[in-house]
């Protein structure tokens, strides 16, 4: 973060994986070996530095992505440790949006699990180069080569083994580095801080040579220099190998794979070397792309501190009542005390303090530069996904897209004092979390919270009580549906009313027609050009979209529908934007009344892991829940059942599965799609 670290030595990385693969434990070891922590914090003891929220410590899972900075050799590594639970994918999404590289952590027993696939696809979306670390090599059932096959098949990635393990399960003792052809063994007395490199054990030599050949073959396919030397049987230096691996990793042609056991302190230092050697610096990735907010002309700024400022807010936290915004600076310099411009809000904001983050500890700095990830105090209005730039060189970076909530609960304050605090507390949560939605039910007066899953809402309620001392009564979870239609229908409306002494007139005929599933809402204006002035068309679209947003059957948003305006008419001096917006809304409601509107329910992809002898019970239970089993595949001595199940039928599933399998079955689920009931 200091001026001394050149941008080519900065590594902005994320650590991502399925829940329980050991991401936070890997991060804790990185902090210990880089000298950031003087004691190793354990997740299972509730002492992990990165899991600093009380709910994280109690549950042993990561909820918010924590940011930290550490030094390794000549490189400054800025790390975001992201959650693995499906309810918090938003945290992964917004971290990957601002990172240059990532480490995918896989459990040597579970391999590529559903949430690993989700985060991997998110990284694909943002073109993030990756390294894979196969953790928990000491666990019973650990199988390094099985996980390599799963990376190839499930993630459609090309793994490049740069290490192989020496032994596995309780016999795992170290790794063989296939680049330098050395064996690395860790010292248990020093908690793995000391390790030795030496010749490969005789009984591992044949295997090591065989996998070294595989490494060279795989590299030859993507690097011409290595191919010429390999085919000519010439000596290839370590430097040449590292350079070829780096280029292929940054180009996302290969994924270097390493292994170890973070809990037993083995494998972390070579992982840090690989982060430094193979993952990109901000200079190795293309310059940030954006558009000019007024002309929409494409723009790009180089990652240099003298370039115009461009930064993206990727997360907002309310800590001790103050708003802390996390931002990635892509270009230029950010200075404390100076103004920045937010082109989304068309407003200036003042930077009062810039903070260098280490989980929940922070250090003040006066300036931050291209490539840095910092915390900012002082931004009053700016929120997640918005750009900060200078008012002279304005740029709008690509916004983030967030999933829609799938589950709701009704809450009511317990006392009058809670009532007074509730609104303020919920506002803080919605600022922090764009996937949390709050609305008041007009019929019952209850506050409805909608989120990404049961755990998501459970933690919001827990934080309300614990952090903000606000007690609420909670209703049972309700599924959030969508509405759609299966045949075209037409609607007509005439609006002719005097409001505040002014006449407003508009007349519209439109058609609502179904679209393919997942297409959203489309709008087209097909009335004759001369029928209404062009500047009223956006008001027509706004009114029509708002009508669909509040649905028809139960007030859920309509999706996958095309709005086509067929006819429109106005009266000179009596028409207005308000009139056309209201009239379009009325015409849409009229069309919905005439049409065949139906409910869509959220369908989840569910993966259940059960021992062989409980498979019948598990499948039977899924069938009673209206699930469709898509595949069953054996993995060691367990069966992996993949199915799709309506979310409404999944409440209480974890308890049912535990009792049916004597506590040995586990499952994970993620949102798949909305479909007909």
């Amino acid at each position: 973060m200091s001026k001394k670290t050149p941008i080519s030595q900065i590594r902005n990385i994320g650590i991502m994986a399925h829940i329980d693969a050991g991401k936070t434990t890997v991060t804790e070891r990185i902090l210990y070996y880089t000298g950031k922590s003087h004691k190793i914090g354990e997740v299972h003891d509730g002492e992990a530095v990165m899991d600093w929220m009380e709910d994280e410590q109690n549950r042993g899972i990561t909820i918010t992505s924590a940011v930290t900075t550490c030094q390794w050799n000549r490189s400054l590594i800025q790390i975001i440790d992201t959650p693995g639970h499906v309810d918090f994918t938003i945290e992964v999404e917004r971290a990957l949006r601002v990172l240059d590289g990532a480490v995918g952590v896989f459990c040597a027993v579970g391999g590529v699990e559903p949430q690993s696939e989700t985060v991997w696809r998110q990284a694909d979306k943002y073109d993030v180069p990756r390294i894979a670390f196969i953790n928990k090599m000491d666990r019973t059932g650990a199988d390094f080569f099985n996980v390599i096959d799963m990376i190839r098949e499930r993630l459609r990635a090309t793994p490049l083994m740069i290490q192989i393990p020496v032994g596995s399960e309780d016999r795992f003792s170290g790794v063989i580095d296939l680049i330098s052809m050395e064996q690395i063994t860790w010292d248990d007395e020093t908690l793995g801080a000391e390790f030795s490199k030496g010749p490969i054990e005789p009984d591992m030599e044949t295997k090591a040579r065989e996998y070294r050949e595989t490494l060279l073959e795989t590299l030859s396919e993507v690097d011409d220099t290595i191919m010429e030397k390999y085919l000519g049987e010439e000596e290839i230096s370590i430097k040449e190998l590292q350079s070829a691996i780096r280029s292929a990793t940054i180009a996302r042609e290969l994924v270097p794979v390493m292994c170890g056991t973070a809990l037993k302190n083995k494998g972390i230092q070579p992982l840090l070397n690989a982060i430094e050697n193979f993952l990109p610096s901000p200079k190795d990735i293309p310059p940030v792309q954006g558009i000019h907010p007024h002309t929409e002309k494409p723009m790009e700024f180089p990652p240099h501190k003298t370039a115009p400022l461009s930064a993206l807010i990727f997360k907002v936290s309310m800590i001790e009542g103050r708003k802390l915004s996390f931002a990635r600076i892509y270009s230029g310099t950010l200075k404390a005390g100076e103004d920045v411009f937010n082109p989304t809000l068309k407003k200036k904001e003042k930077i009062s303090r810039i903070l260098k983050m280490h989980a929940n500890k922070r250090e003040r700095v006066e300036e931050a530069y291209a490539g840095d990830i910092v915390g900012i105090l002082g931004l009053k209005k700016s929120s997640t996904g918005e750009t900060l730039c200078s008012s002279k060189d304005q740029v709008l970076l690509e916004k983030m897209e967030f999933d829609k909530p799938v589950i709701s609960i009704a809450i009511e304050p317990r006392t009058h004092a809670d009532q007074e605090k509730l609104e303020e507390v919920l506002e803080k949560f919605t600022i922090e979390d764009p996937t949390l939605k709050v609305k008041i039910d007009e019929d019952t007066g209850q506050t409805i919270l909608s989120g990404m899953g049961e755990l998501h809402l459970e933690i919001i309620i827990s934080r309300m009580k614990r952090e903000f001392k606000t007690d609420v009564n909670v209703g049972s979870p309700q599924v959030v549906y969508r509405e759609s239609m299966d045949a075209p229908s037409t609607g007509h409306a005439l609006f002719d009313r005097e409001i505040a002494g002014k006449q407003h007139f508009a007349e519209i005929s439109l058609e609502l027609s179904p679209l393919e599933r997942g297409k959203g809402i489309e709008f087209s204006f097909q009335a004759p050009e001369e029928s209404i002035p062009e500047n009223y068309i956006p008001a027509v679209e706004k009114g029509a979209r708002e009508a669909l947003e509040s649905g028809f059957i139960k007030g859920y948003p309509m999706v996958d529908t095309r709005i086509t305006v067929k006819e429109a008419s106005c009266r000179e001096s009596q028409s207005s934007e308000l009139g056309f917006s209201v009239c379009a809304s009325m015409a849409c409601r009229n069309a919905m009344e005439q049409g065949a509107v139906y409910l869509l329910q959220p369908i989840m992809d569910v993966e259940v892991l059960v021992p062989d002898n409980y498979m019948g019970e598990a499948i039977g239970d899924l069938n009673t829940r209206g699930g469709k089993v898509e595949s069953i595949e054996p993995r060691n001595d367990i069966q992996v059942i993949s199915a799709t199940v309506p979310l409404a039928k999944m409440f209480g599933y974890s308890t049912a599965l535990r009792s049916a399998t004597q506590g040995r079955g586990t499952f994970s689920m993620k949102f798949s799609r909305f479909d007909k009931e």
Side-chain angles (χ1 to χ4, degrees), residues 405-658:
V406 293
I407 186 169
S408 291
I409 51 172
I411 60 168
E412 288 174 340
R414 286 208 174 151
T415 66
H416 184 64
D418 293 327
Q419 169 79 58
E420 287 174 351
K421 283 190 282 185
L422 186 62
E423 205 171 306
E424 190 187 320
V425 170
L426 289 176
E427 190 187 350
K428 286 178 178 169
F429 282 134
T430 49
I431 288 170
E432 280 190 8
D433 183 350
T435 59
L436 180 73
K437 298 285 180 251
V438 178
K439 73 170 190 179
I440 307 294
D441 186 314
E442 287 171 10
D443 298 330
T444 63
Q446 287 176 311
T447 302
I448 308 292
L449 291 190
S450 304
M452 304 309 295
E454 280 183 274
L455 183 64
H456 183 199
L457 295 178
E458 215 177 282
I459 281 165
I460 293 290
I461 300 297
S462 170
R463 287 186 61 199
M464 253 187 220
K465 291 177 182 173
R466 190 167 298 161
E467 289 174 42
F468 299 100
K469 310 287 182 277
T470 308
D471 253 357
V472 289
N473 294 319
V474 182
S476 56
Q478 303 292 318
V479 172
V480 176
Y481 292 85
R482 296 285 182 271
E483 298 183 12
S484 196
M485 57 195 328
D486 54 11
S489 71
T490 54
H492 171 265
L494 173 72
F495 184 76
D496 188 2
R497 197 174 299 168
E498 189 180 303
I499 300 171
K502 188 179 183 310
Q503 196 66 28
H504 296 267
F505 175 87
E507 187 171 9
I508 289 174
S509 292
L510 50 72
E511 180 184 79
L512 298 182
S513 50
L515 289 172
E516 262 178 68
R517 192 69 60 243
K519 288 287 187 192
I521 301 292
E522 289 178 8
F523 176 86
S524 75
F525 190 85
Q526 292 180 9
E529 272 182 27
E530 67 283 355
S531 59
I532 65 169
E534 202 176 313
N535 58 322
Y536 289 148
I537 295 174
V540 173
E541 180 172 358
K542 179 173 175 280
R545 283 181 180 273
E546 281 175 0
L548 295 195
E549 191 58 36
S550 54
F552 178 69
I553 307 173
K554 289 187 176 174
Y556 294 113
M558 285 274 284
V559 292
D560 308 332
T561 306
R562 177 183 280 114
I563 308 158
T564 310
V565 178
K566 300 287 193 183
E567 289 172 30
S569 62
C570 65
R571 283 185 198 150
E572 209 169 315
S573 79
Q574 286 195 2
S575 289
S576 64
E577 287 187 6
L578 171 69
F580 274 106
S581 180
V582 175
C583 187
S585 179
M586 288 163 61
C588 271
R589 301 219 55 88
N590 181 243
M592 287 191 272
E593 277 169 28
Q594 315 296 326
V597 180
Y598 57 82
L599 282 180
L600 292 170
Q601 64 175 339
I603 305 291
M604 310 303 280
D605 281 330
V606 180
E607 187 172 273
V608 187
L609 280 69
V610 289
D612 290 348
N613 48 336
Y614 294 112
M615 197 171 72
E617 288 93 329
I619 291 174
D621 187 37
L622 288 172
N623 289 338
T624 61
R625 293 171 189 271
K628 290 191 181 78
V629 174
E630 314 237 302
S631 68
I632 300 168
E633 58 174 84
R635 192 185 298 164
N636 299 333
D637 58 346
I638 58 169
Q639 297 289 338
V640 181
I641 306 163
S642 298
T644 56
V645 190
L647 174 62
K649 301 283 171 59
M650 287 301 288
F651 293 129
Y653 181 65
S654 52
T655 312
L657 182 67
R658 273 201 301 273

Side-chain angles (χ1 to χ4, degrees), residues 84-97:
H85 195 285
V86 66
D87 287 11
F88 307 104
T89 16
I90 169 67
E91 292 285 341
V92 184
E93 182 89 13
R94 52 187 178 186
L96 287 170
R97 170 68 178 81

